[in-house]
Amino acid sequence: MDAFGHVNNAVFVRYLEEARIDFMWRLAPGEGSPSFSGGSVVARHEIDYVRPLVHRHAPVTVESWVTKIGAASMTIAYEIKDEDTVYVRASTVVVPYDFGQGRPRRITAEEKSFLQDYLDGADDADGVQQQEGAVAA
């Protein structure tokens, strides 16, 4: 909460981070899989603050899905909303990163397969139209 009684813009970025981490770790391939385990960095955030979210006890939902899969990056889109109102629309470009080597790495076939289940229907990296994907909430 900020001085104006609504959720501060920096807090929304934290909500997006929590949703993105949950998406990549909780929903990703199971135990023993190296997918998404090497780390990643955020290359870009884009956020549209649609309406202020004022203090209340009712929770909001953060829906996330994939809008683009590149060779070495992915774009995740989000909506922070409740049943009646969208408060934020956002997207994040995420780059898989090999911290041991100190450089970005390519998305693996296993990671791409997982991400395609959440692709929103836009063209994929090969220019092929995808079916509408699932939404992680």
Side-chain angles (χ1 to χ4, degrees), residues 5-134:
H6 56 75
V7 175
N8 184 275
N9 63 319
V11 174
F12 278 117
V13 174
R14 190 168 45 238
Y15 292 166
L16 300 177
E17 176 185 35
E18 290 174 11
R20 183 175 62 256
I21 289 169
D22 188 54
F23 172 72
M24 293 176 73
W25 291 97
R26 183 180 60 89
L27 298 176
E31 290 184 36
S33 170
S35 289
F36 303 111
S37 63
S40 62
V41 295
V42 170
R44 177 184 170 94
H45 278 304
E46 187 172 319
I47 304 172
D48 292 325
Y49 299 97
V50 180
R51 295 193 145 205
L53 177 57
V54 297
H55 175 70
R56 65 192 207 169
H57 294 287
V60 291
T61 299
V62 181
E63 289 186 352
S64 56
W65 62 95
V66 176
T67 59
K68 182 178 179 186
I69 304 169
S73 69
M74 67 200 87
T75 303
I76 300 173
Y78 320 81
E79 283 188 342
I80 299 177
K81 63 187 187 176
D82 59 26
E83 289 183 14
D84 303 317
T85 306
V86 173
Y87 299 97
V88 167
R89 287 189 181 96
S91 65
T92 304
V93 176
V94 179
V95 176
Y97 201 82
D98 182 333
F99 286 99
Q101 297 290 321
R103 60 185 171 95
R105 66 170 180 80
R106 297 179 80 71
I107 292 174
T108 67
E110 183 180 37
E111 291 165 342
K112 184 175 182 178
S113 176
F114 165 75
L115 293 168
Q116 284 177 327
D117 288 342
Y118 296 92
L119 197 60
D120 76 343
D123 291 348
D124 72 4
D126 300 320
V128 176
Q129 183 72 20
Q130 297 293 308
Q131 298 294 335
E132 186 165 328

